[in-house]
Amino acid sequence: MDYCYYGKQQGPHKRRRGICMINLLSDDCLFLVFEKLDSKADRDSFGLTCHRYLDIQNSSRKCLRTSNKCISSSMIAKLLDRFTQLQSLTVSTRCPDFSNSIITKLPIHGSRLHSLDLSNSLNVSRFDLSYCSIINDAVVASVASSCPSLSTIRLRHSCVTDEGIKYLATKLGRSLKRVDILGCSQITDLGISHLNRNCRQLTVLRITGCSKIVGASILGLPPTLVALHAKECAFDATLVSGALVRSGGCSLEYLDVSYPWYKHELASLAFGFPATLKVLNLQCCNLVMDADIINISKGCPLLQEWNLTGCGRITFLGWKSIASHCQNLETLHVNYCQGLRDESLLDLGKGCSRLTLIYLATRYIGIRGFRSFKKQRPDVKIIQSWPSIPVRTSSRYI
């Protein structure tokens, strides 16, 4: 394709300097052209035309995600210099001098970032703990100062402390909406209290596996919170007792308190369950009894998904209560629930009119029970699998 116009030739070897047609188009026009390209091949080859097209292509990129393989800090720096309009950034933290490149580049390129993921990968955090120290309070302080529009941050398996969380909460309190500190063993309830006080738009909080958070900060969670991921936590039942019900204006819709630490199982039931709950995960909460099921089914009429996998102490009284009160229930996980029998399964099918999916891997339901249920509710899909599929992770809850 010829992009240049040339004037009349003056002599056999002379030609007037041409006018490049590309220069006659504004950047806005070129951006529109780039956005109209549908195929990935066309978008990838767009920047091969000329330097200006390459600049347009680089500026159009809003999201960057690197692999979990170790890449050099110089490569990270080059990527940040090339893609200057990023709104979402996910980078590998396996580079030993990674923190220096982030601290250097974020003040230049971080002003437009809305989402930042600096998590260590699961395999790294388990088998090579040396990488956990790469993301520390100094890095978090740089992020807090350089990214004023940040609304989502993930710091999984890092060595960030309460001081780093304080930096985030103080600097980004007006914009921060999603905080993921899964596996951050240095953060305590003090750090969470900083988020509670300053981040009044917080909607999602993930504290899964944070062993030093015992629950003193749960009562002060902001009223905007819709999802709390608190899997594998060691809460103190006396500190969290009724916390989610007593916190005024609670709008929680998603609660995961599955796999509680040994001797902390009672705490999973001590929170209290707000009437706004739509998704509840109690997987492997071995102390769940009929009385708990009755209270939840009566108090949470909006429940749409409920994971009771491994809750072996629920008898026909609990199942009957679910059938009677959970009219909005769509998905139910009951893998290896020892107290679930044929009659109770039929009660669930009869009472839960909106049920569409049930996870049912158990030897306690006979062939006759399965056949009767399928005849009663042919519209309900039964999945016999173990382990149980995790509860839904709608973008609203992650």
Side-chain angles (χ1 to χ4, degrees), residues 124-192:
V124 171
S125 64
R126 278 187 177 176
F127 303 115
D128 191 349
L129 298 179
S130 63
Y131 291 111
C132 295
S133 61
I134 295 174
I135 304 302
N136 50 37
D137 290 342
V139 173
V140 170
S142 176
V143 169
S145 300
S146 307
C147 308
S149 302
L150 202 66
S151 61
T152 300
I153 188 165
R154 295 181 178 89
L155 301 167
R156 296 185 179 187
H157 303 290
S158 68
C159 69
V160 174
T161 69
D162 293 337
E163 194 65 25
I165 297 299
K166 183 179 179 181
Y167 283 129
L168 283 178
T170 303
K171 294 286 187 179
L172 303 176
R174 293 185 178 182
S175 62
L176 210 56
K177 295 180 179 179
R178 291 175 171 84
V179 176
D180 186 344
I181 51 174
L182 180 150
C184 294
S185 58
Q186 301 301 314
I187 297 175
T188 70
D189 285 281
L190 178 60
I192 303 303

Side-chain angles (χ1 to χ4, degrees), residues 19-234:
I19 302 173
C20 184
M21 298 300 294
I22 295 176
N23 292 331
L24 299 180
L25 296 176
S26 67
D27 286 349
D28 291 338
C29 290
L30 292 178
F31 274 115
L32 289 174
V33 171
F34 181 78
E35 290 174 357
K36 293 296 182 180
L37 298 177
D38 295 327
S39 71
K40 184 177 183 299
D42 287 343
R43 296 174 73 90
D44 290 343
S45 60
F46 184 86
L48 300 178
T49 306
C50 65
H51 285 292
R52 190 174 177 212
Y53 272 38
L54 180 62
D55 291 338
I56 296 296
Q57 182 186 29
N58 293 340
S59 299
S60 297
R61 191 179 187 107
K62 305 301 180 185
C63 179
L64 177 63
R65 182 185 183 90
T66 66
S67 67
N68 287 328
K69 297 180 180 180
C70 183
I71 60 177
S72 66
S73 61
S74 61
M75 179 59 69
I76 295 175
K78 288 179 180 178
L79 289 172
L80 293 177
D81 284 335
R82 177 180 176 182
F83 305 114
T84 59
Q85 305 295 318
L86 291 176
Q87 295 180 2
S88 177
L89 176 62
T90 301
V91 292
S92 170
T93 58
R94 298 183 63 181
C95 175
D97 56 346
F98 168 83
S99 59
N100 292 330
S101 63
I102 282 292
I103 290 176
T104 303
K105 292 298 179 180
L106 276 185
I108 305 172
H109 304 302
S111 61
R112 294 178 177 84
L113 279 178
H114 294 289
S115 176
L116 181 61
D117 188 343
L118 301 179
S119 303
N120 282 295
S121 66
L122 183 60
N123 292 335
V124 171
S125 64
R126 278 187 177 176
F127 303 115
D128 191 349
L129 298 179
S130 63
Y131 291 111
C132 295
S133 61
I134 295 174
I135 304 302
N136 50 37
D137 290 342
V139 173
V140 170
S142 176
V143 169
S145 300
S146 307
C147 308
S149 302
L150 202 66
S151 61
T152 300
I153 188 165
R154 295 181 178 89
L155 301 167
R156 296 185 179 187
H157 303 290
S158 68
C159 69
V160 174
T161 69
D162 293 337
E163 194 65 25
I165 297 299
K166 183 179 179 181
Y167 283 129
L168 283 178
T170 303
K171 294 286 187 179
L172 303 176
R174 293 185 178 182
S175 62
L176 210 56
K177 295 180 179 179
R178 291 175 171 84
V179 176
D180 186 344
I181 51 174
L182 180 150
C184 294
S185 58
Q186 301 301 314
I187 297 175
T188 70
D189 285 281
L190 178 60
I192 303 303
S193 65
H194 291 310
L195 294 175
N196 294 343
R197 280 196 302 270
N198 297 284
C199 302
R200 305 312 295 177
Q201 295 192 67
L202 192 66
T203 58
V204 179
L205 177 61
R206 188 184 296 271
I207 56 175
T208 296
C210 294
S211 56
K212 291 187 179 181
I213 297 177
V214 296
S217 58
I218 299 299
L219 183 59
L221 291 175
T224 55
L225 196 72
V226 296
L228 175 62
H229 301 257
K231 179 180 176 181
E232 298 176 5
C233 286

